[in-house]
Amino acid sequence: GPWSVWKRDIYVTTVETEMEQIEQIFFEGTHVPEARWPNAKYTEMLDVKTWATAKNTTSYGYVFDPAMQQTNINWTGAIAVLNSDDRVLSYTRTVVNFTGTSFNYDTP
């Protein structure tokens, strides 16, 4: 369907497909990376300097970062991409509870 502005620089559309999942989205011929916080250009997404860093009180299933409060977004239901300290292991988890400065995510 057509793209429309949801908030500021955030656009939304409805995609009708028979596929189980969508691998790529294009807007006016340009690849659109998934939304993320903090924002980064597509070419910066793998640069660890653009990643948010959780505080020392973070533990398995729980992430604390006061900077999340500045987003004014309720992250419940979002998919969090989590990287271990050594950055060898990355995994995704669904945010199940967001408090403004911290969130819990599902644990297998």
Side-chain angles (χ1 to χ4, degrees):
W3 289 90
S4 59
V5 175
W6 178 65
K7 277 189 195 174
R8 298 187 312 240
D9 295 332
I10 302 171
Y11 289 76
V12 296
T13 191
T14 301
V15 178
E16 295 182 26
T17 180
E18 294 179 16
M19 298 168 40
E20 284 186 35
Q21 66 183 39
I22 297 170
E23 297 292 331
Q24 296 183 60
I25 299 280
F26 291 83
F27 177 70
E28 295 181 351
T30 301
H31 177 257
V32 178
E34 65 275 1
R36 60 163 274 172
W37 175 82
N39 284 334
K41 295 177 184 171
Y42 183 71
T43 56
E44 300 171 334
M45 294 184 83
L46 296 178
D47 183 350
V48 297
K49 293 179 282 194
T50 68
W51 298 355
T53 304
K55 304 306 175 208
N56 291 340
T57 54
T58 295
S59 59
Y60 183 66
Y62 173 79
V63 173
F64 175 73
D65 183 354
M68 288 188 291
Q69 195 167 22
Q70 299 170 6
T71 67
N72 294 319
I73 294 172
N74 181 344
W75 294 99
T76 303
I79 303 298
V81 178
L82 305 159
N83 300 293
S84 63
D85 278 340
D86 55 14
R87 295 183 179 89
V88 172
L89 176 65
S90 292
Y91 51 100
T92 58
R93 296 288 184 266
T94 301
V95 175
V96 295
N97 181 43
F98 179 70
T99 68
T101 58
S102 65
F103 64 83
N104 296 90
Y105 57 87
D106 65 342
T107 55

